[in-house]
DNA sequence: AAGTTTTGCTAAACCGATTTAGTTATATAT
DNA sequence: ATATATAACTAAATCGGTTTAGCAAAACTT
């Protein structure tokens, strides 16, 4: 069976008996502007509909230099947090007439560089990136080359690059205050080794709140390596729970919280009797765990949609100079894992 | 700062002092075939490298070439099962020099149709699709138009369309046998309303195994609607557990299992004492739940990579007529939720 | 009635690559 | 010495749109 030829603009033009130019003008809604006769315009539109014409975007884009393609680089699309973001980005992008090309950097600098090159060579009109540790220079170069670009989830405060992310400071401030209100004092934090701003902000939110409450002496921060999280997490939690006798643990990411819960379960640590726990980002695990886990909820809809909006603005209006900075507000979803400590 | 113009083929040609034709030929590795002098070929390649030339894929594709773009349509990229597949498809595609464009159909026929059109209009070289209920005609048309196409996770046995999916029959056969071996007899199944083959196969695997074990009288199948799963699941489970007194429940998808666990938890049903449970596809929830949940593991790596392999074969060799059918083998991961029933 | 404006439409360039059909110069054959 | 073959390269068409410049006919001025 032969591949059916798609109806082209020329086909419609021939059918009506006019030039392709006229058809193009009419179908782009510029009939008035070009003083095309009303009758003629209607006839063209009718014929195009009848012939089931749809424009070849590739041809259109070749002329216009645009692909209506947005590149999305996350660290790992199979991470539910990022796939949730991907879905929101997809939806908003579709609404605005764009399609999303995605790639996973695996938190790797070399990959990031390669993926950016590949996506640019595919002709994406702009990029939404979750930048990985150490990618500041790459991002700066990309921005300097005037590629429409928005960072999401993480950002580099020193760069003039637009971003859409959580108010991370407030997230741990909320969390820490909540735990303190619940009667906890010896509150520890588990993050991972990175110089990335989003994590540093979360750490600062915790530290400031602890200090403000006069609990500075209890500040304890453990950092695990992202590569063999499971093993390191075990020893970190062993130290915190068994040696340091902490009363509560704040996990700085969803993955850390899930891994932490695995380990705590294996260690037969009771939550919150032995230690209270707060996680990060929604996860079915938190709701189905016994007890349910308290966590910070990010307004993903907002964060994702904003990123697309900013990017498309840049693509369309070339407002590349303006640095759009959007910090969305976290919410604390309280479960049973951070219940009030019984005064003893 | 002005956006630097991308280097075009013509720029390279001018720089070397030859025609664009020659540059095109050399860079496409056809120098020998067109008897281009070795010296000249080397010079062109060197200059192209120095100028950091990369071909404009839009132009290339317009001419009738390829975009090295693969379209992936899943039902929902934010569903961890599909984002896991997406990641594997991405990896394999990248290895073969392709980039992935994704879209979510939301199990909707209209969306599916629209997304296919959009992806084709973006010039994807081929499509990997998780077809939704009722999409058989759309898929048939697509296949008939000779678009390289592979179905994944689900398939239409009546169509000559290649696919890569689980041996679904064997999945529930394994599950049911396991439960029977553990001493369960009154085993029910919870699926959703659909005519899709993958679910029908799973149902058949259960029925056949029950019948073969002489437990036909216990066969009970409940189907919930995918739209308000939570509400329907509650009533379905209420009937199964409280009225029908079933001993074990097999959930036919990951989402059903997770939702089911929510409901069972709310109902304070003990697992496996009151009712045993088996889920589908790995999920952190299953491992962190108390008790851990037995589930069917799909070899996602294999399923995803196969789909890409088949598709790229079709794209490259135009082997559109050959129907590649790959069924990958399920594994049963045994947790505590299906522990041996104490004889009473 | 001649000049000007407006109306309604089209030819042709263009985007950046690929490909077909040549062309020219040199080498080989007869 | 003329015909033929081969080597090395190029002009121009092509993909399917968009856009610019411009043309012919009708309508309007003065």
């Amino acid at each position: 069976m032969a591949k059916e030829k798609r109806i082209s603009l020329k086909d419609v033009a021939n059918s009506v008996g006019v030039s392709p130019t006229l058809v193009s003008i009419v179908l782009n809604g510029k009939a008035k502007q070009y003083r095309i006769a009303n009758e003629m315009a209607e006839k063209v539109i009718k014929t195009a509909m009848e012939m089931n014409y749809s424009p070849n975007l590739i041809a259109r884009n070749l002329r216009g230099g645009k692909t209506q393609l947005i590149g999305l680089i996350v660290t790992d699309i199979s991470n539910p947090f990022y796939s949730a973001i991907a879905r929101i980005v997809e939806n908003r992008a579709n609404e605005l007439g764009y399609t999303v090309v995605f790639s996973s950097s695996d938190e790797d600098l070399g990959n990031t560089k390669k993926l950016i090159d590949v996506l640019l060579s595919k002709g994406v009109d702009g990029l939404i990136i979750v930048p990985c540790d150490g990618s500041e220079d790459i991002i700066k170069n990309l921005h300097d080359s005037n590629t429409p670009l928005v960072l999401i989830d993480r950002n580099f405060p020193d760069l003039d690059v637009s971003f859409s992310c959580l108010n991370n400071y407030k997230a741990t401030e909320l969390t820490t205050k909540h735990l303190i209100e619940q009667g906890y004092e010896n509150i520890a934090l588990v993050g991972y080794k990175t110089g990335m701003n989003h994590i540093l902000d979360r750490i600062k939110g915790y530290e400031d709140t602890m200090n403000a409450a006069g609990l500075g002496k209890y500040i304890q921060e453990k950092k695990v390596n992202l590569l063999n999280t499971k093993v390191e997490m075990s020893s970190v939690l062993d130290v915190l729970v068994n040696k340091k006798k902490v009363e509560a643990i704040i996990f700085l990411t969803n993955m850390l919280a899930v891994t932490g819960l695995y380990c705590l379960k294996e260690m037969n640590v009771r939550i919150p009797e032995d230690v209270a726990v707060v996680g990060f980002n929604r996860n079915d695990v938190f709701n189905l765990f016994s007890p349910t886990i308290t966590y910070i909820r990010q307004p993903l809809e907002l964060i994702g949609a904003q990123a697309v909006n900013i990017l498309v603005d840049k693509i369309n209006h070339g407002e590349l100079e303006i640095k759009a900075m959007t910090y969305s507000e976290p919410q604390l979803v309280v479960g049973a894992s951070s219940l009030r400590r019984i005064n003893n």
Side-chain angles (χ1 to χ4, degrees), chain A:
Chain A
M1 197 172 309
K3 194 156 181 166
E4 305 142 19
K5 220 193 88 212
R6 262 180 66 164
I7 300 292
S8 76
L9 193 109
K10 200 186 266 179
D11 296 331
V12 177
N14 286 340
S15 174
V16 183
V18 293
S19 71
T21 309
L22 190 145
V23 178
S24 172
I25 288 169
V26 169
L27 295 183
N28 283 302
K30 300 181 182 168
K32 288 276 169 331
Q33 183 186 333
Y34 280 81
R35 300 172 311 227
I36 306 296
N38 279 341
E39 281 179 16
M40 180 59 87
E42 278 163 26
K43 196 165 154 194
V44 166
I45 290 168
K46 188 158 159 282
T47 310
M49 297 272 282
E50 282 171 6
M51 298 180 75
N52 198 23
Y53 167 75
S54 82
N56 179 324
L57 293 182
I58 300 162
R60 174 181 282 175
N61 291 331
L62 176 57
R63 183 65 222 262
K66 296 278 189 287
T67 50
Q68 304 292 115
L69 241 38
I70 286 177
L72 173 67
I73 301 181
V74 297
T75 60
D76 181 3
I77 192 71
S78 70
N79 177 326
F81 175 67
Y82 289 116
S83 69
I85 283 191
R87 180 60 207 266
I88 292 157
V89 166
E90 179 201 347
N91 280 358
R92 183 61 186 146
N94 284 170
E95 281 173 16
L96 299 175
Y98 288 82
T99 302
V100 181
V101 189
F102 73 90
S103 295
S104 307
S105 70
D106 271 330
E107 305 276 4
D108 181 89
L109 214 54
N111 285 344
T112 301
K113 206 179 294 190
K114 209 179 305 166
L115 293 177
I116 289 174
D117 279 350
V118 170
L119 292 183
L120 288 181
S121 83
K122 301 290 176 189
V124 296
D125 293 341
L127 287 165
I128 295 178
I129 300 181
V130 177
C132 70
D133 210 351
S135 64
E136 189 157 357
D137 286 349
I138 299 177
I139 298 296
K140 185 176 181 338
N141 284 340
L142 190 58
H143 180 248
D144 286 349
S145 76
N146 272 357
T147 304
L149 172 63
V150 177
L151 303 183
I152 190 167
D153 184 45
R154 311 173 179 176
N155 77 95
F156 296 110
D158 293 342
L159 297 185
D160 279 338
V161 181
S162 297
F163 61 84
S164 174
C165 69
L166 182 71
N167 186 331
N168 285 292
Y169 182 90
K170 213 163 187 176
T172 38
E173 188 187 43
L174 261 177
T175 307
T176 312
K177 272 189 182 159
H178 164 75
L179 286 170
I180 293 171
E181 277 166 14
Q182 295 291 314
Y184 296 97
E185 297 191 326
N186 194 345
I187 304 167
L189 174 149
V190 175
Y192 63 90
K193 287 163 187 147
T194 178
M196 293 296 293
N197 201 246
H198 67 301
I199 293 293
L200 299 182
D201 280 355
R202 290 176 197 177
I203 293 175
K204 196 153 189 310
Y206 157 77
E207 288 176 350
D208 287 0
T209 310
M210 289 294 276
N211 281 325
L215 300 174
K217 62 182 168 181
Y218 290 119
I219 290 177
Q220 265 198 85
E221 295 155 5
K222 292 290 177 185
K223 285 158 192 169
V224 301
N225 197 306
L226 272 186
L227 292 179
N228 62 338
T229 320
K230 193 84 192 279
V231 176
E232 290 199 18
M233 182 64 83
S234 272
S235 62
V236 158
L237 290 181
D238 181 56
V239 170
L240 287 179
V241 174
N242 297 324
K243 296 229 173 61
K244 306 285 185 169
K245 308 289 179 193
V246 301
E247 300 166 359
I249 299 174
I250 301 172
F251 290 101
L252 286 195
T253 73
N254 195 276
M255 231 193 54
L256 290 174
V258 171
T259 310
L261 289 177
Y262 265 106
C263 294
L264 290 172
K265 188 176 182 179
E266 274 174 8
M267 292 163 69
N268 286 316
V269 173
R270 292 169 307 159
I271 301 170
E273 292 83 355
D274 297 335
V275 64
V277 164
V278 180
F280 221 97
N281 300 326
R282 210 204 84 86
N283 190 320
D284 276 325
V285 168
F286 295 166
N287 298 311
L288 285 168
F289 201 82
S290 292
T292 56
I293 305 296
T294 298
Y295 63 92
I296 281 290
R297 196 186 100 76
Q298 294 198 36
L300 284 188
E301 293 284 345
L302 201 58
I303 293 176
Q306 293 268 31
V308 178
N309 290 344
I310 297 168
L311 184 68
V312 170
D313 259 13
K314 280 181 193 292
I315 292 170
N316 289 336
H317 310 307
E319 287 171 6
L320 295 168
E321 318 301 329
I322 298 164
K323 178 178 181 182
M325 303 184 286
T326 64
Y327 289 104
S328 298
E329 294 306 309
Q331 280 185 313
L332 190 72
V333 178
V334 178
S337 70
S338 60
L339 276 190
R340 181 174 295 278
R341 189 171 181 73
I342 310 298
N343 288 324
N344 51 355

